[in-house]
Amino acid sequence: MIEQIRNQFDLAWALADLHLSALSEGDFTWEPAPLVWTVHRDATGVWWPDWADTEPDPIPVPTIAWTTWHMLFWWSTTLAHVGGYPVPERAEIPWPGPEGCVMRIRQLSERWRELLVSLSDADLVVPSVFPWGEGSGRTVADTVLWLNVELTKNAAEIGQLRMLRAAV
């Protein structure tokens, strides 16, 4: 099964990289609606995302900047959980700006691919609590499959926002 998971990741990554490669600097912070989640610079110049601990209603439309930050967040967290590293807190993961976020996402992609290469089918049945929590009954296979779906979803969101911006 691990070989199929690797192939699925390669397909999801090809879609993501297609859209990431086409981004221009202005695409990142373009706001497609009045209610958005985006990123903001603090007094020191560091970019931080909008965030709420409970999902607001209505849900804000994320900008590409926010979506790429979110990719950095969930991918860093997942790598830590599956790889057995200390898990970073959300507030420890700033957005690196339009000049650095695509490079950082590509680095995470390379780290994820290396992790997938190191996994065997036996590793896939090990219990995993992320992103579901304790007692979920989920496995490493569930986690890596979830990441592939999350990557595909975020790639589609970025592509749609990029195309909408080009159309208006």
Side-chain angles (χ1 to χ4, degrees):
M1 180 167 172
I2 189 61
E3 192 58 37
Q4 289 83 2
I5 290 172
R6 290 178 192 134
N7 291 339
Q8 183 191 52
F9 170 72
D10 289 341
L11 180 61
W13 176 247
L15 173 64
D17 199 44
L18 173 80
H19 290 303
L20 292 169
S21 296
L23 292 173
S24 68
E25 187 170 334
D27 290 335
F28 287 97
T29 55
W30 176 68
E31 296 186 1
L35 178 62
V36 297
W37 269 0
T38 192
V39 295
H40 308 275
R41 282 188 178 203
D42 67 15
T44 66
V46 177
W47 294 89
W48 296 103
D50 292 329
W51 186 261
D53 288 329
T54 57
E55 195 165 277
D57 184 18
I59 299 170
V61 178
T63 63
I64 291 173
W66 192 93
T67 302
T68 55
W69 166 81
H70 192 245
M71 292 172 75
L72 296 172
F73 168 60
W74 59 251
W75 218 336
S76 298
T77 303
T78 306
L79 274 164
H81 276 281
V82 177
Y85 309 114
V87 178
E89 295 292 327
R90 177 189 48 80
E92 296 172 353
I93 303 173
W95 187 64
E99 64 286 338
C101 79
V102 172
M103 179 184 66
R104 180 74 180 114
I105 291 169
R106 286 184 175 137
Q107 290 169 344
L108 290 170
S109 167
E110 290 171 20
R111 286 183 54 208
W112 186 251
R113 184 71 170 116
E114 290 168 5
L115 179 74
L116 290 179
V117 167
S118 76
L119 294 176
S120 68
D121 283 338
D123 295 322
L124 296 177
V125 298
V126 171
S128 178
V129 299
F130 185 79
W132 302 279
E134 292 290 335
S136 68
R138 302 290 186 133
T139 65
V140 169
D142 293 310
T143 299
V144 297
L145 289 167
W146 166 82
L147 186 135
N148 289 349
V149 169
E150 187 71 17
L151 176 61
T152 303
K153 177 187 77 78
N154 287 159
E157 291 168 340
I158 290 168
Q160 188 66 38
L161 286 168
R162 188 175 63 79
M163 290 184 288
L164 281 171
R165 181 171 186 253
V168 295

